[in-house]
Amino acid sequence: MLIALPLLVIPVVLYNIVVLTGLMGASGVVGTDSGLRDILFTIPMASGAGWSVGVGDMILFLALILLFFELLKSTSSQKVAIVNHALSMILFVVCLVEFLLIKGFATSTFFLIVTMVMLDVLAGFIVTIISARKDLEFGAG
């Protein structure tokens, strides 16, 4: 039953931990946003410039990877996929409420995470509808 859990809950929980526990050391939207941009490490590039990576960048990177796997999961026709779609929808509603109503969540980083969760919901329902339509057309002939 653990396969029904949306993978995008991981970056949402990480973001919640960072913001709600005050790990970034500042409160409010501005403090959270600047804390997420604090440099974790810098990678030297061939051009001589340095690529600075922050906490928010790492959470977004993880979310993008997990979105890819969620999109792959949405193509399955198992019964557990319906539960996954429902849980993804609940996750989207929770993220949207946090984004609109809780200080520290009105950042570009969290907005992009909310957008990824929304894309997961849309992709899941669209893939399910298209595959059901194909099954219906195939069965009718």
Side-chain angles (χ1 to χ4, degrees), residues 99-110:
F99 180 72
L100 295 173
L101 301 179
I102 302 176
K103 287 184 180 180
F105 288 85
T107 63
S108 295
T109 302
F110 196 69

